[in-house]
Amino acid sequence: MSGNLERIPAIAGFLRSLVLHAVLFVGGAVVLAPLVWMCLASMMPAGEASQLPPRWWPSHPTAEHYAVLFSSLHLGRNFFNSFFLAAAATALSLCCNSLAGYALAKLPFVGRDRVFTFLLALLVVPGQVGMLPLFLLLRSFGWIDTYWGVLVPSLASVFGIFLVQQYAQSIPDALLDAARVDGASELRVFWSVGLPLCRPILVTLGVFTFLGTWNDFLWPLIVLSDASKQTLPVALASLAAEHVQDTELMMASAVLTMVPAVALFLVAQRAYVAGILSGALKF
Amino acid sequence: MHRTRTIAAWIFLAPALTAITAFFVGPVLAALVLSFTDFDIYTIADSSNLRWLGLEQYRILLRDPLFWRALQNTLTFVVAGGSLTVVVALGAALAIWGAARKVQAFLRTVYFLPVVTTIVAAAVVWRAWYHPRVGLLNVALRWAGLPAIDWLGNPRWAMLAIIVFSVWKNFGFHMVIFLAALQSIPHQLYEAAAIDGASRWQQFRHVTLPMLRPALSFVVLITVIGSFQLFAEPYVMTQGGPANATLSLVLLMYRNGFQWWNVGYGAAVAWVLFALLVVVTLTLSRLRLRRR
């Protein structure tokens, strides 16, 4: 009898855990539902996604909408634009930010604190504030509707500089000094000692920049009006405005836009989350 | 020795500082100057049409009912959407924290996926789900015996629809931060509390919550900053409608500046947004310091 009574807390704990896990998995299903439906609807024959009663599974799975995207809508070009711009932005931001972050962490100079405070203050300024004059500036350069115009704001970022700076601080000065004693120039020290040691944070910054550029919407929307130069999100937005009725076609282009981002995240999840946390924990 | 390092430092900093100054700081300051002028489509054609308005521009702004509408909508989104996002994120983090080790990473990934989904792609799906007749949400409502709602077509519901979408899209980001903070709480604190006879609620109230405070204030700050920049959701789902019910400050700036070429007016909207963010950031960090 007493043995049964002792079991009550254990049973209560088991039940509580059962309910918690049930809620968590149902919640997960709810969170994933729109993304799953997006994929399923993209394979439905035209009109089926707007049928009543609604259906989850395509009656006859088809790839016809994907074929339309690449043939008559030329979304392949937009896919290439997105990919090229994200890769270029990643390369450029890695160069600028790693140099600057390393200098702020490892090369003491008069005025370093002031540069640091200046950059810190910029974190409060929302990116949209300068967009109108930047547009006029790029227009005077003839950079509107060019890849350069899209890339310019992602050359360097305060967030990226801080990410590298915080990480580079953990590099022991002795390692750098050893290279200097061997007669290496500062650039050489950076390139062959500092940079390899910063690799993990560079991976993080790279994933952040790639995803950020891939998913970016407002700036590419402003700069790129020529349909053949637009990125996928911009092309998708104009498609969504013109083809309101073609739900299945829109879902196919949404899948095309989403899948590379999700795939990169799944592969590089650890580095990505590390980036979020290094921002949050240093605060 | 130190000279070479100083020179190297400035050379290393040069690309980043040049880019930031030329393409960010410069334009931000130029926007302030532009906001005092009537720079518009006629100025683009012929710069002699430019007139200095000074503060009159901001007076025009304050008299514009559309600006007040956009400000009100943005604040609604910041306060209601922001707090809902934080609450859902905290709830999800606490639940995952209590789950079995084996499933924690899996659940975290699942809940995080909307964050990395391209916002336009996700908005297109949600727009279909919000459809008044065939949208899945209304099918569910009718199935439950409730009247269907024209989510995106009714001014009373449109902002709520945008908020629900953005909570789904964003809570995973903050959840990850909460989860990391929860996992960094030392076990000994709970053991000590349990020895003192603290109930589960008391442990939550007196151990978990205080330990979460730094993460909480960070999350609140970035949620507020992010929410003030609301743009893509209404742009794709409602175009600011119906009856301007989802017109946000950034959307107002975009329309004036980039669609109607009222550049001066658009720049003024941008600077109002900036000023609001500065005030809110300073207030929040002052509150944070006082608690410490």
Side-chain angles (χ1 to χ4, degrees), chain A residues 6-176:
Chain A
E6 273 161 19
R7 259 188 234 148
I8 287 177
I11 293 170
F14 174 75
L15 279 178
R16 189 187 292 135
S17 154
L18 199 68
V19 170
L20 178 75
H21 283 87
V23 169
L24 275 168
F25 278 95
V26 170
V30 171
V31 168
L32 282 188
L35 304 180
V36 173
W37 187 81
M38 180 201 285
C39 298
L40 292 173
S42 75
M43 294 183 283
M44 290 179 186
E48 204 170 78
S50 320
Q51 240 174 37
L52 282 177
R55 34 186 325 146
W56 270 95
W57 291 104
S59 59
H60 309 285
T62 166
E64 58 180 297
H65 308 297
Y66 290 95
V68 171
L69 290 186
F70 284 101
S71 58
S72 55
L73 292 171
H74 306 293
L75 237 58
R77 279 185 317 205
N78 305 104
F79 190 92
F80 170 80
N81 294 339
S82 272
F83 191 84
F84 175 79
L85 284 170
T90 306
L92 288 169
S93 103
L94 278 178
C95 285
C96 290
N97 294 324
S98 64
L99 277 167
Y102 171 85
L104 285 173
K106 285 288 142 191
L107 296 172
F109 61 94
V110 182
R112 184 167 73 166
D113 291 346
R114 230 171 286 163
V115 173
F116 201 76
T117 318
F118 168 71
L119 290 175
L120 200 66
L122 293 183
L123 277 176
V124 197
V125 191
Q128 296 92 341
V129 178
M131 279 183 179
L132 282 161
L134 183 60
F135 179 86
L136 297 175
L137 180 74
L138 298 185
R139 193 172 162 274
S140 69
F141 293 171
W143 285 2
I144 297 308
D145 249 333
T146 67
Y147 287 156
W148 260 119
V150 183
L151 287 174
V152 149
S154 43
L155 278 175
S157 75
V158 177
F159 172 75
I161 294 174
F162 283 149
L163 213 56
V164 177
Q165 188 263 352
Q166 278 163 14
Y167 195 85
Q169 275 178 335
S170 66
I171 299 175
D173 282 318
L175 282 177
L176 305 176

Side-chain angles (χ1 to χ4, degrees), chain A residues 205-250:
Chain A
L205 178 59
V207 175
F208 253 90
T209 314
F210 193 95
L211 281 178
T213 315
W214 182 277
N215 288 337
D216 195 14
F217 180 58
L218 179 53
W219 185 243
L221 173 74
I222 290 168
V223 175
L224 303 170
S225 52
D226 179 353
S228 71
K229 296 204 175 105
Q230 283 172 348
T231 59
L232 274 177
V234 179
L236 175 57
S238 56
L239 201 69
E242 289 159 20
H243 295 252
V244 183
Q245 300 304 323
D246 306 333
T247 310
E248 301 79 13
L249 186 70
M250 267 191 306

Side-chain angles (χ1 to χ4, degrees), chain B residues 201-285:
Chain B
W201 166 250
Q202 283 170 324
Q203 289 183 21
F204 175 74
R205 175 71 190 75
H206 297 286
V207 180
T208 313
L209 268 189
M211 293 301 284
L212 277 183
R213 189 153 280 165
L216 187 64
S217 53
F218 176 76
V219 163
V220 167
L221 185 65
I222 55 172
T223 306
V224 167
I225 292 178
S227 306
F228 264 106
Q229 303 177 24
L230 175 68
F231 173 76
E233 297 90 334
Y235 182 90
V236 176
M237 295 171 88
T238 58
Q239 293 85 46
N244 296 315
T246 56
L247 179 70
S248 69
L249 283 174
V250 177
L251 191 54
L252 183 69
M253 178 206 86
Y254 174 80
R255 276 196 193 160
N256 273 283
F258 293 105
Q259 290 188 320
W260 305 331
W261 299 110
N262 291 323
V263 177
Y265 185 98
V269 174
W271 261 83
V272 167
L273 175 75
F274 179 23
L276 276 171
L277 273 178
V278 170
V279 170
V280 170
T281 309
L282 287 179
T283 314
L284 284 177
S285 37

